[in-house]
Amino acid sequence: MPLGLGRRKKAPPLVENEEAEPGRSGLGVGEPGPLGGSGAGESQMGLPPPPAALRPRLVFHTQLAHGSPTGRIEGFTNVKELYGKIAEAFRLPAAEVMFCTLNTHKVDMDKLLGGQIGLEDFIFAHVKGQRKEVEVFKSEEALGLTITDNGAGYAFIKRIKEGSVIDHIQLISVGDMIEAINGQSLLGCRHYEVARLLKELPRGRTFTLKLTEPRKAFDMISQRSAGGHPGSGPQLSTGRGTLRLRSRGPATVEDLPSAFEEKAIEKVDDLLESYMGIRDTELAATMVELGKDKRNPDELAEALDERLGDFAFPDEFVFDVWGAIGDAKVGRY
């Protein structure tokens, strides 16, 4: 049994089916959010942006998901800078970029760009489309939403549970950005802050969501792959290299996760959902990275407190994370 895990007050789950899934966890800006938290990132105490000469000089190809010529971007070290480069390439305001998917123009939440980009990945940027305002009657405690964020200040819907309260409202779709709840702006908020607000809404009352959906894609998909020479269109990732974006310090080129790391990340992500109402593969990857060399749960708890203290992980959760990493190490999947 661990000796030091009684140091914190247990935090109750934020949500049941309203889940928050940061994309991705602290990859964005360091400005305070309107709820008084750490805003869209955790970089206030981080390092200043590295000089351009030290940034990986990697070139990525990108298109707007609704249809555009192919652009080239390089010289970014975090998600916010990436969105800025995309905006420059297509002469758009950076605030128009909602999120990106890798190797597909579709709103595919399994292909969301998070903290890592394969060196041969093709980036599709989804920009703001139609705005809408929807009234929702909260007939159940759980609305059936999974919330994620883009790492640069926008929270949006990643998944809608079948048969849930939200599933019966046709105007609400996966990919919709949540701009406000009952008139309270959520721009700059993290996923878990939005999830907490949804959880705290009283049952049996109506609330208002202000949403923005991603701009719809053209029907003529051939415009995306049109090109003069083989290989000039989007390429799927086949290499083992990946560019890892960090909120603290420069981006780095790394190998893809090992089989152990992939399984450990999956198990920790499941625990995040079970305990905290959050799904976030990048956060899970950070926790595995912090825990894989620790000798006991106490060391893991100290590392999590130092790096991810804002999340206030429950003690039982920390112990289970330690067990999940240990199981993955010895192949108990």
Side-chain angles (χ1 to χ4, degrees):
M1 291 295 292
L3 299 178
L5 292 182
R7 72 220 177 282
R8 292 164 301 188
K9 182 179 179 181
K10 179 180 178 180
L14 294 179
V15 287
E16 294 180 7
N17 287 318
E18 293 80 41
E19 307 152 7
E21 180 160 340
R24 321 263 203 224
S25 177
L27 296 176
V29 296
E31 301 172 356
L35 300 183
S38 59
E42 303 171 18
S43 58
Q44 294 95 325
M45 301 301 293
L47 299 174
L54 297 180
R55 302 184 186 188
R57 305 308 299 177
L58 303 172
V59 177
F60 294 87
H61 293 85
T62 182
Q63 289 180 0
L64 300 179
H66 63 273
S68 76
T70 298
R72 291 161 55 93
I73 55 174
E74 61 178 315
F76 55 88
T77 191
N78 58 47
V79 170
K80 188 180 181 183
E81 290 182 5
L82 166 63
Y83 291 168
K85 293 293 185 180
I86 291 172
E88 289 177 10
F90 296 107
R91 299 181 181 179
L92 296 170
E96 288 295 301
V97 181
M98 291 176 58
F99 57 85
C100 295
T101 49
L102 298 176
N103 306 316
T104 179
H105 67 280
K106 298 179 180 179
V107 181
D108 184 344
M109 295 294 105
D110 292 328
K111 302 295 184 180
L112 278 177
L113 184 152
Q116 296 188 6
I117 307 173
L119 299 185
E120 297 182 16
D121 280 343
F122 197 100
I123 302 171
F124 289 89
H126 299 256
V127 300
K128 292 180 180 178
Q130 181 179 346
R131 300 180 70 182
K132 50 196 177 183
E133 194 166 292
V134 184
E135 289 191 347
V136 180
F137 179 72
K138 190 175 183 182
S139 58
E140 304 289 342
E141 285 294 334
L143 292 170
L145 284 178
T146 297
I147 307 300
T148 188
D149 64 40
N150 70 348
Y154 294 161
F156 55 94
I157 298 171
K158 179 176 182 183
R159 185 166 64 240
I160 298 174
K161 184 178 180 180
E162 186 177 355
S164 65
V165 173
I166 297 298
D167 188 41
H168 292 98
I169 304 175
Q170 296 301 312
L171 285 175
I172 301 177
S173 302
V174 168
D176 286 354
M177 181 179 75
I178 304 178
E179 287 193 24
I181 298 175
N182 286 337
Q184 179 177 354
S185 174
L186 301 179
L187 300 182
C189 287
R190 292 300 312 279
H191 55 340
Y192 60 87
E193 296 178 296
V194 176
R196 182 181 293 116
L197 275 179
L198 291 169
K199 176 65 176 178
E200 292 175 350
L201 291 169
R203 182 177 178 179
R205 295 188 183 180
T206 298
F207 65 94
T208 302
L209 286 175
K210 184 178 290 186
L211 307 167
T212 299
E213 65 183 35
R215 187 169 175 181
K216 302 299 184 183
F218 294 147
D219 291 332
M220 298 195 316
I221 304 301
S222 59
Q223 291 187 8
R224 301 179 192 285
S225 57
H229 303 284
S232 61
Q235 300 178 8
L236 299 183
S237 177
T238 57
R240 292 292 298 174
T242 181
L243 177 68
R244 182 161 186 180
L245 308 178
R246 302 178 184 273
S247 60
R248 304 181 183 188
T252 55
V253 177
E254 302 177 355
D255 290 334
L256 291 176
S258 65
F260 145 68
E261 289 171 327
E262 287 182 349
K263 196 61 187 180
I265 289 168
E266 179 184 341
K267 292 170 74 71
V268 172
D269 202 20
D270 289 342
L271 288 171
L272 282 168
E273 181 175 19
S274 175
Y275 276 88
M276 304 289 290
I278 294 170
R279 289 198 69 88
D280 179 355
T281 54
E282 184 59 23
L283 176 59
T286 298
M287 297 177 73
V288 171
E289 183 179 353
L290 291 173
K292 63 184 180 182
D293 296 325
K294 299 298 181 288
R295 294 173 295 180
N296 55 59
D298 291 333
E299 290 187 1
L300 173 60
E302 290 176 4
L304 293 177
D305 281 346
E306 181 178 352
R307 179 80 171 271
L308 302 169
D310 288 346
F311 286 90
F313 294 121
D315 295 338
E316 296 91 339
F317 169 76
V318 175
F319 192 83
D320 284 351
V321 167
W322 167 256
I325 294 173
D327 286 347
K329 280 183 179 179
V330 298
R332 289 198 297 265
Y333 299 154

